[in-house]
Amino acid sequence: MLRRVLILFFLIGIVTVAKAQTLFTPDGLMCDLIANGGYQSVNGYLAQPEWSKAAFLATNSVRIRNARPAFSWMLTSVKNNTMQSAYRILVADHPDSLAKNTGNMWDSRKVLSPRSNAVLYFGKPLRAHTLYYWKVMVWDKNSAQSAFSEPAAFFTDTLLADYATTQYPLQKTDQFPERFSVSDTMVFADFGKAAFGQLKLELTGTGTRDTVEVHLGEAITAWGTINRRPGGTIRYQRYRLPLRPGTHTYYVNIRKDARNTGPQAVLMPGYIGEVLPFRYCELRKYGQPMEETQIVRTAVNYPFDETAASFHSSDSILNQVWDMCYYTMKATSFAGIFVDGDRERIPYEADAYINQLGYYAADREYTLARASQEYLLHHATWPTEWILQSVLMAYNDYLYTGDSRSARHFYNDLKAKLLMPLEMPNGLISTRTGKQNPALMKAIHFNGGLLRDIVDWPHTGILGLAKSEGGETDGFVFRDYNAVVNAYYYKALRDMQSIAATLNRDADAKLFETKADKLKDDYRKQFWDRKQRVFMDAPDTLHASLHTNMFALAFGLVEDRYKDDVASFIRSRGMACSVYGSQFLMDAVYDGNDEAYGLQLLTSTADRSWYNMIREGSTMAMEAWGNKYKPNQDWNHAWGAVPINIISRKLMGIEPLTPGWEVYRIKPQTSSLQFAIITVPTIKGKIIAQYEKKEEDFLMTLTLPANATAQVVLPAAFARGRFEVYLGEERIKPVKKNGEYIVTIAGGGAYKLSVGPR
């Protein structure tokens, strides 16, 4: 009898464990932030992966470059409140070993830790040009054990470094026209959106010295033909294509541009070839019948997961703006590093900062942003503020990935980017008081003479702007002590303080904290005008610009009691900044809880708006609000795509609070929107948030990743009255903190949260 009972208990235990294993499982595996370690392509086209050394060496493949790579994974669960308590990683050099649950290269054993981001390899030394396999299992907070994940693979590079960022090769995709027509005078193809690409044509020659004219462009005229004189750096090119007798496939050899293939430009790799941004194609002097399948645009971009992010709302203009900015993230990745568009193809810190935030909102992919930020550490550009932005980008990288290796490796470079040698006795930094010297330029890797303050771009009287045209600085008064530069200095000190603390650089963390605390006091003393209740551009001027005040508010320099005053001044100035400056304007507006004004700016149809870019004909974000605001502008500038990160981070309110999304915030600021739904990719997994207004109630439907904690901030409108909150069917009491009501949800899952008046 006892034996039967023991057998019964044993069988129940097996069923219980099996059931537990199906409730949660690790997936979304990444090695060195690469989700597809088996990626292989031939001349840019995806190839079926072959699991052999020869195949990886013969193709454009992913090559892990670190001697000690880092592993990350998501935790998918069918039940709420799932948190990881431990993990076990196996790494093997043969799939059969892994199938037998043998990690002959590394078996971490059971490690008691909730960590699922950037877990470092501690196995046997990895060999170059070797294929490895790995998988992971986890335990939840109740010690229930998952099954092992599906195995993943990675292939090592020729040389393995202490630290190096791995990247994907660039990818080609063949596309047919969305609109196609043939007339007596021309063949016309519209691919729907512009892309950086190439052209393939299937044409038939009659043997009588046929020559076809090929026209490619980004813009069209009012008559529906390609604009041959689009202005600025909006692209148009013409080619003459001699035909051979018979039917053949022709490849249009895109000409190199002298400016964007110069010494400082990022060049296209040989396996891809030169590209041109174009949407439209015209064929002239071709008299044969033609089908749309005979004209193919080959688009080039960094590998991109189009299922990772989405957004839709009750406002059609907001939806169009999101779509344009989202597509911009994909299309402008053509160089494999964030560049400033097609005119120069040079990385700039300001472009990369906005591109970084936008890309995080568009894809669960971090290597492109990291490689761009690291490149700029050693290829600095001339504006003072942009040097400081390198620190902001490094902190964002750590915040969104939880992987501190890049910051650790480049710590001294980042510390130099603080520009502390420019600090004066009054606590402020200045580029105009004789402090710049060769030692500083060498430390920040700048070879272009002296740094200059920029505030915004362009300035008055340059790049085709007449002296009577105001540029984009809102009349900012440049003096020795620049309020915008010092706001950046403050933000960089705070971010560097966090990085130093993470890396156990305690003395440095204390130094940066002390400097930041002092700078906050000095900044307020030097720039605050008590009478006007706004910040001045400099201590020796009474001029107050939008920029000075929006940067102060966005970077945390405004005292709480004066935030309404500063916000009011910001509203009074409108969109008196460039598309670059709008990043910090929108951050300031939403951080000041001015959600109605934020939505007004995002959905504006004025000339200085994102909708105007669509209206003028671009399918990617422009370099400026419109052609008249920057006569040499281009139509493919990712720094103009600010709304994608603002909608994700601020309007829908989803952003990390601690590194690696361990704790994140959901703070809706949807103003008058009746409905909105978003999918936000994170290193922990997707966050899906749907907000809906029903009469006086606000409804939130949330799908949250496991092994992370959400702090849901109730809409500000309810903080001023009596209300009640339900989580599912249960009435709950939120916690009040700093004037906000917060509901904490740990461990992810599916939730319905409703808020309404009592």
Side-chain angles (χ1 to χ4, degrees):
M1 181 67 179
L2 178 61
R3 185 169 179 268
R4 288 182 181 178
V5 171
L6 291 175
I7 291 174
L8 180 61
F9 279 170
F10 177 71
L11 292 174
I12 291 173
I14 291 176
V15 172
T16 301
V17 170
K19 184 178 179 181
Q21 289 178 341
T22 64
L23 290 177
F24 60 98
T25 183
D27 60 3
L29 275 60
M30 286 180 162
C31 178
D32 277 351
L33 299 176
I34 291 288
N36 186 359
Y39 186 100
Q40 297 176 19
S41 63
V42 177
N43 295 327
Y45 290 102
L46 273 172
Q48 74 277 18
E50 182 181 327
W51 303 103
S52 68
K53 175 180 178 178
F56 275 90
L57 292 176
T59 60
N60 300 115
S61 59
V62 168
R63 314 271 180 96
I64 295 298
R65 303 171 63 198
N66 284 306
R68 288 178 58 198
F71 303 109
S72 304
W73 57 90
M74 306 184 307
L75 188 57
T76 300
S77 177
V78 298
K79 64 176 183 177
N80 292 355
N81 196 23
T82 298
M83 298 292 282
Q84 176 186 302
S85 65
Y87 65 81
R88 180 188 178 193
I89 299 174
L90 299 180
V91 181
D93 59 5
H94 197 280
D96 290 347
S97 297
L98 206 65
K100 297 173 183 177
N101 293 337
T102 300
N104 69 315
M105 293 301 295
W106 185 39
D107 184 343
S108 72
R109 306 299 179 184
K110 184 177 181 179
V111 178
L112 297 177
S113 170
R115 187 176 183 87
S116 60
N117 302 32
V119 177
L120 282 176
Y121 175 80
F122 277 100
K124 298 176 183 176
L126 299 178
R127 303 181 296 276
H129 286 173
T130 304
L131 188 58
Y132 294 99
Y133 305 83
W134 73 283
K135 61 183 180 180
V136 59
M137 70 160 47
V138 301
W139 287 259
D140 72 4
K141 63 181 181 180
N142 299 316
S143 298
Q145 177 183 317
S146 78
F148 271 111
S149 66
E150 291 295 319
F154 64 91
F155 185 75
T156 52
D157 204 357
T158 306
L159 297 174
L160 297 181
D162 291 337
Y163 172 76
T165 294
T166 297
Q167 286 194 265
Y168 290 101
L170 292 174
Q171 184 172 311
K172 288 183 175 181
T173 305
D174 284 351
Q175 301 169 334
F176 296 121
E178 290 190 7
R179 191 162 59 92
F180 179 80
S181 63
V182 180
S183 69
D184 293 339
T185 58
M186 71 172 177
V187 176
F188 182 82
D190 176 2
F191 290 91
K193 296 177 180 178
F196 284 84
Q198 300 156 344
L199 190 70
K200 292 189 293 186
L201 300 166
E202 184 184 294
L203 302 175
T204 300
T206 63
T208 56
R209 297 183 180 179
D210 300 332
T211 298
V212 175
E213 286 186 6
V214 180
H215 301 263
L216 303 175
E218 291 182 281
I220 57 173
T221 66
W223 300 275
T225 58
I226 292 177
N227 192 336
R228 270 71 163 164
R229 298 176 180 273
T233 319
I234 304 166
R235 292 306 188 190
Y236 162 74
Q237 287 188 6
R238 173 180 175 268
Y239 296 88
R240 296 180 73 254
L241 190 62
L243 302 185
R244 297 178 58 204
T247 301
H248 303 279
T249 298
Y250 294 86
Y251 177 89
V252 176
N253 190 22
I254 301 297
R255 290 190 296 271
K256 290 186 177 182
D257 181 274
R259 186 167 188 185
N260 66 28
T261 56
Q264 292 180 289
V266 174
L267 304 180
M268 298 303 297
Y271 67 89
I272 294 292
E274 193 50 70
V275 294
L276 177 76
F278 69 95
R279 172 180 174 177
Y280 304 102
C281 175
E282 284 180 24
L283 302 184
R284 299 276 184 167
K285 301 180 180 179
Y286 183 67
Q288 303 301 314
M290 192 170 189
E291 302 291 333
E292 61 184 17
T293 54
Q294 294 174 251
I295 183 166
V296 178
R297 181 179 66 185
T298 302
V300 176
N301 57 268
Y302 203 69
F304 189 83
D305 181 1
E306 294 182 345
T307 69
S310 63
F311 174 77
H312 187 73
S313 76
S314 55
D315 191 295
S316 62
I317 291 177
L318 189 65
N319 297 339
Q320 291 177 67
V321 168
W322 163 276
D323 290 343
M324 177 193 68
C325 295
Y326 172 81
Y327 177 69
T328 300
M329 292 300 108
K330 176 181 178 179
T332 59
S333 66
F334 72 97
I337 193 170
F338 295 152
V339 294
D340 71 328
D342 192 53
R343 184 177 58 255
E344 297 178 24
R345 297 190 191 174
I346 295 174
Y348 287 90
E349 294 89 346
D351 297 77
Y353 177 81
I354 296 171
N355 215 152
Q356 175 191 47
L357 290 174
Y359 217 85
Y360 291 159
D363 197 1
R364 184 177 178 258
E365 206 298 310
Y366 307 99
T367 61
L368 181 58
R370 175 172 286 190
S372 301
Q373 180 255 326
E374 292 173 348
Y375 178 92
L376 281 160
L377 286 174
H378 289 85
H379 297 81
T381 63
W382 59 268
T384 316
E385 298 97 310
W386 297 4
I387 299 295
L388 293 158
Q389 276 184 329
S390 282
V391 179
L392 277 59
M393 283 189 283
Y395 179 70
N396 282 341
D397 175 87
Y398 175 49
L399 184 63
Y400 278 78
T401 67
D403 183 353
S404 62
R405 290 176 301 159
S406 179
R408 184 182 302 277
H409 183 78
F410 293 106
Y411 181 83
N412 289 331
D413 295 301
L414 291 169
K415 186 175 178 180
K417 299 287 183 176
L418 287 172
L419 302 179
M420 289 189 295
L422 298 182
E423 190 175 303
M424 299 296 288
N426 61 5
L428 307 176
I429 63 171
S430 175
T431 57
R432 299 168 59 160
T433 54
K435 288 274 192 173
Q436 297 196 60
N437 57 55
L440 175 61
M441 300 302 109
K442 181 179 179 181
I444 62 174
H445 306 287
F446 178 58
N447 301 314
L450 298 178
L451 301 179
R452 290 172 285 155
D453 304 348
I454 193 169
V455 175
D456 208 337
W457 191 253
H459 292 176
T460 301
I462 62 172
L463 302 176
L465 291 174
K467 291 183 178 181
S468 60
E469 296 178 285
E472 296 287 13
T473 63
D474 193 30
F476 186 91
V477 176
F478 287 84
R479 293 287 194 267
D480 287 350
Y481 297 104
N482 180 322
V484 171
V485 166
N486 279 280
Y488 265 109
Y489 183 40
Y490 175 77
K491 180 66 165 66
L493 283 169
R494 288 298 188 204
D495 284 354
M496 202 64 197
Q497 174 189 338
S498 298
I499 290 171
T502 294
L503 302 179
N504 298 317
R505 304 257 187 162
D506 296 336
D508 274 358
K510 185 61 179 177
L511 171 66
F512 303 143
E513 180 183 24
T514 300
K515 283 185 172 292
D517 289 344
K518 182 179 184 300
L519 177 58
K520 179 184 282 189
D521 291 337
D522 292 336
Y523 190 95
R524 291 169 175 171
K525 291 175 184 176
Q526 295 285 339
F527 297 109
W528 181 250
D529 186 297
R530 293 181 179 274
K531 184 177 180 180
Q532 299 185 71
R533 295 198 173 198
V534 290
F535 285 99
M536 301 295 102
D537 298 344
D540 54 351
T541 179
L542 293 178
H543 185 268
S545 66
L546 169 66
H547 298 73
T548 290
N549 288 275
M550 73 187 187
F551 277 104
L553 185 55
F555 290 163
L557 284 160
V558 182
E559 292 182 65
D560 289 343
R561 57 180 169 161
Y562 295 130
K563 283 184 177 179
D564 288 344
D565 297 298
V566 172
S568 178
F569 175 79
I570 287 172
R571 280 194 301 274
S572 75
R573 302 304 302 147
M575 191 66 84
C577 60
S578 77
V579 296
Y580 153 71
S582 72
Q583 174 67 59
F584 308 96
L585 170 61
M586 300 306 296
D587 277 336
V589 167
Y590 279 102
D591 289 349
N593 298 317
D594 198 351
E595 58 185 276
Y597 186 51
L599 183 60
Q600 176 186 325
L601 292 175
L602 286 170
T603 59
S604 171
T605 59
D607 284 353
R608 301 177 73 85
S609 71
W610 289 282
Y611 185 77
N612 189 58
M613 301 178 187
I614 300 170
R615 182 167 53 213
E616 290 198 8
S618 186
T619 54
M620 293 184 237
M622 292 181 178
E623 186 183 3
W625 295 117
N627 295 335
K628 71 180 181 181
Y629 295 105
K630 193 171 188 293
N632 74 334
Q633 79 149 338
D634 61 28
W635 277 16
N636 38 64
H637 231 77
W639 82 343
V642 167
I644 186 173
N645 83 74
I646 291 296
I647 291 170
S648 180
R649 295 168 52 241
K650 301 300 182 182
L651 183 142
M652 300 300 280
I654 301 170
E655 56 185 335
L657 296 178
T658 62
W661 292 84
E662 299 289 342
V663 180
Y664 59 94
R665 178 170 54 211
I666 300 178
K667 181 182 178 179
Q669 294 196 72
T670 52
S671 185
S672 60
L673 291 179
Q674 295 300 304
F675 171 84
I677 183 170
I678 195 167
T679 302
V680 178
T682 81
I683 194 88
K684 293 287 191 182
K686 290 181 180 179
I687 297 170
I688 303 174
Q690 177 177 308
Y691 309 145
E692 187 175 1
K693 288 183 178 178
K694 286 192 173 180
E695 297 177 350
E696 295 183 287
D697 293 343
F698 189 86
L699 309 179
M700 304 173 66
T701 303
L702 306 173
T703 303
L704 310 177
N707 202 35
T709 298
Q711 292 187 357
V712 183
V713 181
L714 304 186
F718 293 101
R720 295 185 288 271
R722 296 170 63 85
F723 62 92
E724 54 188 13
V725 183
Y726 283 85
L727 187 60
E729 300 298 321
E730 179 185 359
R731 184 174 175 178
I732 61 172
K733 185 176 182 180
V735 174
K736 187 175 184 180
K737 183 178 180 181
N738 297 327
E740 297 179 331
Y741 289 91
I742 300 171
V743 176
T744 299
I745 301 175
Y751 300 89
K752 289 186 180 294
L753 191 71
S754 61
V755 190
R758 187 180 300 175

